[in-house]
Amino acid sequence: QLNGIKLELPQLKIPSAGSIFFEVDEEPVKELQGVIVVHGPRHVYFDKEFEGDATPPKCSSRDGIQGVWNVDAEAGEVEVKSCADCPYSAFGSDKNGRGKACKEKHQLYILLNGKPLPFSLMLPVSSVGVLNAYATSLFNKGKFLNEVLTSFTLEKTTNKTGIVYSKIVMKKVRDLTEDELVACAKVAETVKKL
């Protein structure tokens, strides 16, 4: 039916400066409810400071295991490297000597209530721990992320250096019904093909 049209998943972003509103269809939304149908780690390393442009990362990984290192971005020359052996994934490798130069993010694909396509949300490093704690809590109760309806909100917080930012909050709303589980599994298969 799409006749050559390639679907692009809508994007959600964690706002900067401590905002507690997501933007959905250009409208501010304080709480989202949806199902995490697919998720996975994403590692990104930039060898230059951000200057406001769309410079691609020097290395990126879609699985947190193997990274694609851009030897020569203009020529398209790349190398596949192990994330475990990479010096940029070691603590102390960032410019301040405290964290990792390679940022460990997590990609979520969230099917929101009433939407036919899932939204893509890249969790920043500051929210990955929240996801890990939430997933662990569900797992201890015999559930996985794709088996429950989740509430997503944002809270304003401040880091050690005084920078205000937004951090995600996730809470279980309820278990999915059998019909919802089947429908979400179909959506997950579609996402994996995109």
Side-chain angles (χ1 to χ4, degrees):
Q1 294 286 0
L2 293 173
N3 199 22
I5 295 173
K6 186 174 181 178
L7 295 175
E8 294 181 7
L9 298 179
Q11 304 287 310
L12 288 172
K13 294 181 180 172
I14 304 280
S16 59
S19 172
I20 58 167
F21 292 94
F22 293 99
E23 190 173 295
V24 179
D25 299 330
E26 299 180 18
E27 295 291 327
V29 179
K30 193 165 186 174
E31 179 190 19
L32 301 172
Q33 288 190 1
V35 179
I36 301 170
V37 291
V38 178
H39 67 93
R42 299 289 186 263
H43 293 192
V44 182
Y45 168 68
F46 290 91
D47 61 343
K48 296 178 181 159
E49 288 293 316
F50 179 69
E51 297 175 356
D53 58 4
T55 303
K58 184 68 174 174
C59 187
S60 63
S61 171
R62 294 180 59 89
D63 61 8
I65 298 169
Q66 290 187 320
V68 178
W69 185 269
N70 290 311
V71 177
D72 185 344
E74 289 181 22
E77 185 181 345
V78 297
E79 281 181 32
V80 176
K81 296 189 172 204
S82 166
C83 292
D85 299 330
C86 181
Y88 298 110
S89 69
F91 279 101
S93 62
D94 74 349
K95 68 179 183 174
N96 298 319
R98 290 192 303 255
K100 297 180 179 186
C102 181
K103 301 303 177 199
E104 295 177 4
K105 301 181 177 200
H106 207 91
Q107 185 82 46
L108 304 180
Y109 296 95
I110 305 167
L111 186 60
L112 299 178
N113 287 342
K115 301 290 182 182
L117 286 174
F119 282 66
S120 171
L121 173 63
M122 180 72 75
L123 288 183
V125 175
S126 59
S127 288
V128 171
V130 174
L131 173 68
N132 291 341
Y134 177 60
T136 301
S137 172
L138 289 176
F139 186 75
N140 282 333
K141 296 172 185 165
K143 293 290 176 187
F144 290 101
L145 293 168
N146 63 348
E147 297 175 337
V148 299
L149 181 66
T150 299
S151 163
F152 301 88
T153 57
L154 296 166
E155 69 179 10
K156 184 177 182 177
T157 189
T158 306
N159 71 10
K160 293 176 187 173
T161 61
I163 297 173
V164 176
Y165 66 98
S166 303
K167 187 164 77 171
I168 199 155
V169 176
M170 298 179 215
K171 293 181 181 169
K172 176 184 167 184
V173 176
R174 63 173 174 81
D175 293 342
L176 297 183
T177 66
E178 288 299 320
D179 288 345
E180 289 171 328
L181 287 168
V182 170
C184 287
K186 288 179 183 176
V187 171
E189 288 306 313
T190 300
V191 170
K192 291 174 184 176
K193 293 176 186 174
L194 294 178

